[in-house]
Every structure is written in C-alpha cells, then in structure tokens.
Amino acid sequence: MPDIQIFPPVRRPDPEVVKALSRLSAAQAVDAMNRNGGMNGSIRAIWCEQPLVGTAITVQSAPHDVLAIYAALATSQPGDIIVAATNAYQGSAVLGSVMAGFMLNAGIVAFVTDGLVRDVDELDCARFPVFASGLSPNAPQKNGPGTVGGAIVVGGVAINCGDVIVADRDGVAVIPRDYAGNVVSKVPAILQREVEFASMHEQGHKAPDWLEDFMASERIINR
C-alpha cells in the first residue's frame, strides 16, 4: 500500500472569479450562500490580519502525521490554501514554523486544519495565516498514510480540491468551485446591503425597518 495517494490534478476556479470573491469577508461569503458554508467554531484563526481568499488543496492526514501535508505542498501553486483534515486529532501539532516557512516561500496563502499547530510566536512573526482547532507543542511524524486532492470534511463542512476558501478572523467559509460564479453574481448586492446598514446606524436607527411590523404581527403573543 502506498504511503500517500494523490488524486488527479485539481480543476481550478477561474482566476477572475477568485479575484471577485476577494472582496468578501467570510461572513459575507456565507450570507451569499444562503447562510451556509462556514466552518464551525472549532476552527479559529490562530493568526490572520485581513480577509484572504485562495483555492483549496485538500489533505487527509493520518493522526499524528504530516507526510501528506508535505506532499500537498509539493503539488501546490501560489495562491493555494492547504486544508488538512486530521479527524480532529488533538495529540500533536500538524504545522509549525518550519513547515509554515516552506509554505510562505511556495506562495501558499494560508493553512487550515481541524488539528493543532505550534510555534505560535514564530507564526505571528512570519505573518502566516493559520486556522486550526488549537495549539500543542507536541511534534508529529512523517510516515503516512494520507491523501492529497480528495474530498474531506473540516469544521463540519465538506471540501473538495478546487473549492474557494474565504477566511478572516471570524473563521473559514468554503465556496464550492461549481457554485463560485453564482456567489460572484451576489457580491454587489451583499456589499450594497452592508452600505445600507452602515447608513442606518449613522442615521441613528434603533432597529431594522421590518421589526416594527413583526412586533405587531400574529407571530407575537403578548402574555
């Protein structure tokens, strides 16, 4: 049995689509997908300065092992985001300053995992965006097995290689590659809505326009 299985090369999203999605925050991306697609709260920003977007390179890694993640690094392209499923293993980190340095040099935008990471001070200094379930000083092995490019689940969300990742300090949103164009079509309306809400706040509105009618409707029972 091979140590690592690598699936056929990813069918990447249109670069113009990825560029258009870079205007969104993670929350806005979720809003554009009918309030779905965000990883759950177990996946949090370890370091992230500003919203980012990239193409997912998926990894299924054995617990306590990073060989498949290194294989993903070897098959990645600048602008990719490596997303590693570890079955939420909590015994050791799957990324530290050494691997992060290689990823930065390779043009990797960010690293996302349901496992743990370490060397948080060095990650801060390197300014490398990382999203994980937590921290541990324990080190992993490089033995396998694992896969690169297959379907995985991280943070309760199914991810395929080539999906678009939008991430920031709120967390990580996953836009399926074949749905990305549809999300792009919603970008102007999503951004315009944010402008309208900001205007209402500045004008001193104490509630959204619909709330008064709702409070007077049959959906409310006053006891």
Side-chain angles (χ1 to χ4, degrees), residues 120-208:
V120 65
D121 290 337
E122 289 88 343
L123 296 177
D124 287 347
C125 290
R127 304 173 70 82
F128 181 58
V130 174
F131 301 81
S133 64
L135 304 171
S136 171
N138 291 337
Q141 300 294 329
K142 293 189 283 292
N143 298 321
T147 64
V148 176
I152 61 173
V153 175
V154 171
V157 178
I159 309 157
N160 290 288
C161 214
D163 288 348
V164 181
I165 303 294
V166 179
D168 55 29
R169 293 176 64 188
D170 277 349
V172 181
V174 181
I175 303 174
R177 179 190 56 217
D178 294 336
Y179 191 66
N182 183 281
V183 173
V184 168
S185 71
K186 298 179 181 181
V187 168
I190 291 289
L191 298 181
Q192 179 58 35
R193 187 181 67 174
E194 297 285 343
V195 171
E196 292 169 357
F197 282 140
S199 177
M200 292 173 66
H201 296 157
E202 291 174 359
Q203 293 172 23
H205 289 238
K206 296 180 175 64

Side-chain angles (χ1 to χ4, degrees), residues 44 46 90 93 115-120 123 132-138:
R44 61 184 181 87
I46 303 300
Q90 297 293 294
L116 307 177
V117 300
R118 67 178 195 168
D119 301 332
V120 65
L123 296 177
S133 64
L135 304 171
S136 171
N138 291 337

